[in-house]
PDB file of all heavy atoms in Angstrom:
ATOM      1  N   THR A  19      95.021 114.792  97.392  1.00  0.00           N
ATOM      2  CA  THR A  19      94.278 114.159  98.481  1.00  0.00           C
ATOM      3  C   THR A  19      93.674 112.826  98.041  1.00  0.00           C
ATOM      4  O   THR A  19      93.786 111.813  98.743  1.00  0.00           O
ATOM      5  CB  THR A  19      93.152 115.086  98.967  1.00  0.00           C
ATOM      6  OG1 THR A  19      93.720 116.277  99.484  1.00  0.00           O
ATOM      7  CG2 THR A  19      92.296 114.419 100.037  1.00  0.00           C
ATOM      8  N   GLN A  20      93.049 112.815  96.870  1.00  0.00           N
ATOM      9  CA  GLN A  20      92.390 111.598  96.399  1.00  0.00           C
ATOM     10  C   GLN A  20      93.399 110.512  96.038  1.00  0.00           C
ATOM     11  O   GLN A  20      93.124 109.314  96.205  1.00  0.00           O
ATOM     12  CB  GLN A  20      91.490 111.925  95.217  1.00  0.00           C
ATOM     13  CG  GLN A  20      90.293 112.778  95.590  1.00  0.00           C
ATOM     14  CD  GLN A  20      89.496 112.179  96.744  1.00  0.00           C
ATOM     15  OE1 GLN A  20      89.270 110.965  96.812  1.00  0.00           O
ATOM     16  NE2 GLN A  20      89.060 113.025  97.662  1.00  0.00           N
ATOM     17  N   LYS A  21      94.547 110.915  95.567  1.00  0.00           N
ATOM     18  CA  LYS A  21      95.599 109.931  95.267  1.00  0.00           C
ATOM     19  C   LYS A  21      96.007 109.200  96.534  1.00  0.00           C
ATOM     20  O   LYS A  21      96.109 107.962  96.541  1.00  0.00           O
ATOM     21  CB  LYS A  21      96.806 110.631  94.641  1.00  0.00           C
ATOM     22  CG  LYS A  21      97.987 109.711  94.366  1.00  0.00           C
ATOM     23  CD  LYS A  21      99.104 110.469  93.656  1.00  0.00           C
ATOM     24  CE  LYS A  21      99.680 111.536  94.549  1.00  0.00           C
ATOM     25  NZ  LYS A  21     100.811 112.250  93.899  1.00  0.00           N
ATOM     26  N   GLN A  22      96.218 109.936  97.627  1.00  0.00           N
ATOM     27  CA  GLN A  22      96.639 109.302  98.874  1.00  0.00           C
ATOM     28  C   GLN A  22      95.546 108.385  99.422  1.00  0.00           C
ATOM     29  O   GLN A  22      95.824 107.282  99.901  1.00  0.00           O
ATOM     30  CB  GLN A  22      96.998 110.351  99.903  1.00  0.00           C
ATOM     31  CG  GLN A  22      97.624 109.762 101.159  1.00  0.00           C
ATOM     32  CD  GLN A  22      98.850 108.902 100.847  1.00  0.00           C
ATOM     33  OE1 GLN A  22      99.804 109.381 100.234  1.00  0.00           O
ATOM     34  NE2 GLN A  22      98.827 107.635 101.255  1.00  0.00           N
ATOM     35  N   LEU A  23      94.296 108.825  99.345  1.00  0.00           N
ATOM     36  CA  LEU A  23      93.202 107.966  99.792  1.00  0.00           C
ATOM     37  C   LEU A  23      93.109 106.718  98.953  1.00  0.00           C
ATOM     38  O   LEU A  23      92.827 105.609  99.468  1.00  0.00           O
ATOM     39  CB  LEU A  23      91.876 108.748  99.728  1.00  0.00           C
ATOM     40  CG  LEU A  23      91.716 109.877 100.740  1.00  0.00           C
ATOM     41  CD1 LEU A  23      90.457 110.701 100.446  1.00  0.00           C
ATOM     42  CD2 LEU A  23      91.678 109.349 102.175  1.00  0.00           C
ATOM     43  N   LEU A  24      93.346 106.836  97.668  1.00  0.00           N
ATOM     44  CA  LEU A  24      93.314 105.671  96.773  1.00  0.00           C
ATOM     45  C   LEU A  24      94.462 104.693  97.109  1.00  0.00           C
ATOM     46  O   LEU A  24      94.252 103.474  97.130  1.00  0.00           O
ATOM     47  CB  LEU A  24      93.416 106.132  95.324  1.00  0.00           C
ATOM     48  CG  LEU A  24      93.505 105.013  94.260  1.00  0.00           C
ATOM     49  CD1 LEU A  24      92.341 104.040  94.372  1.00  0.00           C
ATOM     50  CD2 LEU A  24      93.568 105.626  92.870  1.00  0.00           C
ATOM     51  N   LEU A  25      95.630 105.236  97.364  1.00  0.00           N
ATOM     52  CA  LEU A  25      96.756 104.361  97.718  1.00  0.00           C
ATOM     53  C   LEU A  25      96.485 103.624  99.022  1.00  0.00           C
ATOM     54  O   LEU A  25      96.811 102.420  99.142  1.00  0.00           O
ATOM     55  CB  LEU A  25      98.043 105.200  97.843  1.00  0.00           C
ATOM     56  CG  LEU A  25      98.482 105.954  96.591  1.00  0.00           C
ATOM     57  CD1 LEU A  25      99.824 106.627  96.842  1.00  0.00           C
ATOM     58  CD2 LEU A  25      98.552 105.043  95.376  1.00  0.00           C
ATOM     59  N   ASP A  26      95.874 104.293  99.983  1.00  0.00           N
ATOM     60  CA  ASP A  26      95.516 103.611 101.239  1.00  0.00           C
ATOM     61  C   ASP A  26      94.503 102.503 100.985  1.00  0.00           C
ATOM     62  O   ASP A  26      94.586 101.419 101.596  1.00  0.00           O
ATOM     63  CB  ASP A  26      94.924 104.636 102.226  1.00  0.00           C
ATOM     64  CG  ASP A  26      95.954 105.642 102.731  1.00  0.00           C
ATOM     65  OD1 ASP A  26      97.165 105.374 102.602  1.00  0.00           O
ATOM     66  OD2 ASP A  26      95.533 106.704 103.225  1.00  0.00           O
ATOM     67  N   TYR A  27      93.565 102.753 100.111  1.00  0.00           N
ATOM     68  CA  TYR A  27      92.566 101.740  99.741  1.00  0.00           C
ATOM     69  C   TYR A  27      93.239 100.508  99.134  1.00  0.00           C
ATOM     70  O   TYR A  27      92.918  99.360  99.493  1.00  0.00           O
ATOM     71  CB  TYR A  27      91.571 102.349  98.763  1.00  0.00           C
ATOM     72  CG  TYR A  27      90.715 101.357  98.013  1.00  0.00           C
ATOM     73  CD1 TYR A  27      89.590 100.782  98.595  1.00  0.00           C
ATOM     74  CD2 TYR A  27      91.028 101.003  96.698  1.00  0.00           C
ATOM     75  CE1 TYR A  27      88.798  99.870  97.917  1.00  0.00           C
ATOM     76  CE2 TYR A  27      90.244 100.102  95.996  1.00  0.00           C
ATOM     77  CZ  TYR A  27      89.140  99.531  96.605  1.00  0.00           C
ATOM     78  OH  TYR A  27      88.362  98.628  95.908  1.00  0.00           O
ATOM     79  N   LEU A  28      94.182 100.731  98.210  1.00  0.00           N
ATOM     80  CA  LEU A  28      94.862  99.619  97.547  1.00  0.00           C
ATOM     81  C   LEU A  28      95.703  98.821  98.560  1.00  0.00           C
ATOM     82  O   LEU A  28      95.775  97.586  98.477  1.00  0.00           O
ATOM     83  CB  LEU A  28      95.746 100.142  96.418  1.00  0.00           C
ATOM     84  CG  LEU A  28      95.013 100.773  95.244  1.00  0.00           C
ATOM     85  CD1 LEU A  28      96.016 101.338  94.239  1.00  0.00           C
ATOM     86  CD2 LEU A  28      94.070  99.798  94.563  1.00  0.00           C
ATOM     87  N   LYS A  29      96.333  99.530  99.505  1.00  0.00           N
ATOM     88  CA  LYS A  29      97.095  98.840 100.536  1.00  0.00           C
ATOM     89  C   LYS A  29      96.180  97.936 101.354  1.00  0.00           C
ATOM     90  O   LYS A  29      96.525  96.784 101.660  1.00  0.00           O
ATOM     91  CB  LYS A  29      97.785  99.851 101.447  1.00  0.00           C
ATOM     92  CG  LYS A  29      98.952 100.589 100.807  1.00  0.00           C
ATOM     93  CD  LYS A  29      99.496 101.649 101.749  1.00  0.00           C
ATOM     94  CE  LYS A  29     100.563 102.485 101.066  1.00  0.00           C
ATOM     95  NZ  LYS A  29     101.025 103.608 101.943  1.00  0.00           N
ATOM     96  N   ASN A  30      95.010  98.454 101.724  1.00  0.00           N
ATOM     97  CA  ASN A  30      94.075  97.659 102.517  1.00  0.00           C
ATOM     98  C   ASN A  30      93.563  96.441 101.754  1.00  0.00           C
ATOM     99  O   ASN A  30      93.232  95.415 102.353  1.00  0.00           O
ATOM    100  CB  ASN A  30      92.879  98.534 102.928  1.00  0.00           C
ATOM    101  CG  ASN A  30      93.263  99.569 103.972  1.00  0.00           C
ATOM    102  OD1 ASN A  30      94.218  99.400 104.714  1.00  0.00           O
ATOM    103  ND2 ASN A  30      92.521 100.672 104.036  1.00  0.00           N
ATOM    104  N   LYS A  31      93.522  96.563 100.431  1.00  0.00           N
ATOM    105  CA  LYS A  31      93.100  95.445  99.577  1.00  0.00           C
ATOM    106  C   LYS A  31      94.264  94.503  99.256  1.00  0.00           C
ATOM    107  O   LYS A  31      94.088  93.511  98.559  1.00  0.00           O
ATOM    108  CB  LYS A  31      92.534  95.971  98.267  1.00  0.00           C
ATOM    109  CG  LYS A  31      91.181  96.657  98.392  1.00  0.00           C
ATOM    110  CD  LYS A  31      90.077  95.648  98.656  1.00  0.00           C
ATOM    111  CE  LYS A  31      88.707  96.292  98.656  1.00  0.00           C
ATOM    112  NZ  LYS A  31      87.633  95.290  98.902  1.00  0.00           N
TER     113      LYS A  31
END
Side-chain angles (χ1 to χ4, degrees):
T19 298
Q20 292 307 318
K21 177 176 65 178
Q22 188 55 57
L23 291 172
L24 175 56
L25 300 185
D26 291 342
Y27 164 80
L28 295 176
K29 288 176 186 175
N30 290 335
K31 289 288 186 180

